[in-house]
């Protein structure tokens, strides 16, 4: 992209978000959860209804998919309809190999056909996709370039989907290193980070290989030191444990669960914004005592 065009886009973005100079910058950090990711739509809808602006989104796995869909300009209603009509075959293809049970190459065509976007530059506001470097164990954040490879990597659930090789790395699902990418939202300049966590531990007896994988990783997360919890301004945890990983047809119930949880967290969200507003005003106000002179 020519540098003049990049500068022009930056000025346009600054104009569109000019009010962030007077108010805190608000970011969403969305965790993964396969079909349960539809609960993020309920959170987004509740925030819209209460006039709480979102300046940036960081997403892992299903959270990245919902984040990209929303940042593409689609309404929550449009995304909900598409989510309810989606099935595993729209994203993945069973293809047994030594690296996994399936591939998720179809995500590339999903982006083109249903969202009409293929690169970060086409999104309406800043978006970060989180993945995990399988060799180093580090979180890897993508904010520019094509959307397909980072999104496929972020959704490459270990053992189920084959890893994605991109930019010299072997990448898998972001939940391993960034279950809820709060740090990524902070790196984008968010003063207030609203984190949405989708608990996948149903507590029920697994009845298949995918259930076993999901339950195993849920147990690991439960016992891990989750730094994102202490870094988030507010944590929203919709009650979605009773929904299976592939029950896309239950999207309305998931959206409802997201709205309900977000509504319960609304006082905390407004409180966090008010505190951040005071801090921001304090930084912007001049020194009333005047400059110190020697």
């Amino acid at each position: 992209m020519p540098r003049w065009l990049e500068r022009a886009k930056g000025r346009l973005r600054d104009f569109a978000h000019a009010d962030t100079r007077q108010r805190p910058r608000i970011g969403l950090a969305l965790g993964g959860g396969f079909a349960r990711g539809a609960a993020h739509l309920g959170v987004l809808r509740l925030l819209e209804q209460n006039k709480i602006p979102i300046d940036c989104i960081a997403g892992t796995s299903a959270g990245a998919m919902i984040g990209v869909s929303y940042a593409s300009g689609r309404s929550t209603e449009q995304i909900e309809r598409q989510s309810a009509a989606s099935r595993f075959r729209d994203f993945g293809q069973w293809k047994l190999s030594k690296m996994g049970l399936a591939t998720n190459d179809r995500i590339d065509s999903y982006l083109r056909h249903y969202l009409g976007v293929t690169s970060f530059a086409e999104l309406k506001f800043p978006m970060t996709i989180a993945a995990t470097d399988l060799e180093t164990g580090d979180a890897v954040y993508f904010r520019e370039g094509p959307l397909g490879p980072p999104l496929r990597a972020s959704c490459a659930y270990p053992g189920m989907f084959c890893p994605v090789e991109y930019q010299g790395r072997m990448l898998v699902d972001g939940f391993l290193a960034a279950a809820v990418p709060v740090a990524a939202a902070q790196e984008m300049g968010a003063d207030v980070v609203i984190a949405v966590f989708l608990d996948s531990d149903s507590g029920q007896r697994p009845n298949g290989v995918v259930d076993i994988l999901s339950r195993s990783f849920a147990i690991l997360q439960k016992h891990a030191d989750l730094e994102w919890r202490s870094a988030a301004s507010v944590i929203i945890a919709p009650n979605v444990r009773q929904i299976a990983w592939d029950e896309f047809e239950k999207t309305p119930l998931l959206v409802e669960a997201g709205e309900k949880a977000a509504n319960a967290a609304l006082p905390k969200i407004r409180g966090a914004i008010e505190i951040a507003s005071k801090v921001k005003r304090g930084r912007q106000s001049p020194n009333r005592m005047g400059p110190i002179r020697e």
Side-chain angles (χ1 to χ4, degrees):
M1 178 185 299
R3 299 191 68 176
W4 67 267
L5 181 56
E6 189 172 348
R7 288 196 297 270
K9 286 185 64 178
R11 287 194 294 270
L12 180 61
R13 188 180 295 112
D14 289 343
F15 175 78
H17 295 281
D19 58 339
T20 59
R21 298 172 185 173
Q22 284 75 45
R23 65 165 177 82
R25 188 173 173 82
I26 302 170
L28 271 182
L30 307 179
F34 288 101
R36 301 181 190 96
H40 293 314
L41 294 172
V43 175
L44 285 163
R45 183 173 299 168
L46 192 284
L47 296 177
E48 284 182 347
Q49 291 171 350
N50 287 273
K51 304 296 190 293
I52 295 175
I54 299 301
D55 300 295
C56 59
I57 295 180
T60 289
S61 197
M65 179 66 78
I66 294 297
V68 168
S69 300
Y70 191 70
S72 74
R74 298 296 187 274
S75 68
T76 56
E77 289 77 14
Q78 289 174 314
I79 303 170
E80 179 179 350
R81 286 195 297 271
Q82 183 56 47
S83 177
S86 296
R87 296 295 181 267
F88 174 81
R89 62 179 176 271
D90 295 320
F91 311 101
Q93 181 179 13
W94 297 112
K95 188 177 181 181
L96 183 62
S97 77
K98 65 180 180 180
M99 304 299 283
L101 301 175
T103 66
N104 61 9
D105 295 345
R106 291 178 176 177
I107 285 178
D108 286 325
S109 59
Y110 183 88
L111 288 170
R112 292 193 301 271
H113 295 157
Y114 294 109
L115 300 180
V117 294
T118 57
S119 70
F120 282 89
E122 296 173 89
L123 301 179
K124 307 302 182 184
F125 56 82
M127 172 79 204
T128 294
I129 294 175
T132 300
D133 186 318
L134 194 57
E135 295 182 42
T136 67
D138 296 330
V140 183
Y141 299 136
F142 296 95
R143 302 187 179 97
E144 59 183 12
L147 284 165
L151 189 55
R152 287 193 290 109
S154 187
C155 296
Y157 201 76
M160 181 176 181
F161 290 113
C162 297
V164 174
E165 294 193 29
Y166 182 58
Q167 295 184 348
R169 301 174 184 264
M170 182 175 285
L171 301 166
V172 292
D173 200 307
F175 88 90
L176 288 173
V180 184
V182 173
Q186 291 175 324
E187 288 180 9
M188 285 189 284
D191 302 300
V192 175
V193 181
I194 302 169
V196 187
F197 175 66
L198 306 177
D199 191 352
S200 62
D201 186 0
S202 66
Q204 299 177 358
R205 187 181 182 87
N207 60 7
V209 63
V210 177
D211 285 342
I212 292 172
L213 288 169
S214 178
R215 185 74 187 277
S216 298
F217 286 123
I219 292 170
L220 282 173
Q221 283 189 334
K222 185 182 295 185
H223 295 285
D225 180 18
L226 303 178
E227 296 181 2
W228 65 265
R229 290 186 177 275
S230 59
S233 307
V234 179
I235 298 175
I236 299 175
N239 182 13
V240 296
R241 297 175 66 180
Q242 74 280 9
I243 307 295
W245 67 275
D246 60 346
E247 291 187 302
F248 293 97
E249 69 276 9
K250 293 187 177 179
T251 288
L253 292 176
L254 290 160
V255 174
E256 181 181 347
E259 283 188 278
K260 183 177 180 180
N263 188 59
L266 200 54
K268 291 183 179 180
I269 294 172
R270 287 177 170 150
I273 293 172
E274 180 59 28
I275 291 172
S277 296
K278 290 179 180 178
V279 171
K280 193 158 191 173
R281 287 196 296 268
R283 289 174 180 168
Q284 292 176 346
S285 60
N287 189 334
R288 295 182 180 180
M289 298 179 63
I292 298 176
R293 302 182 184 277
E294 297 183 354

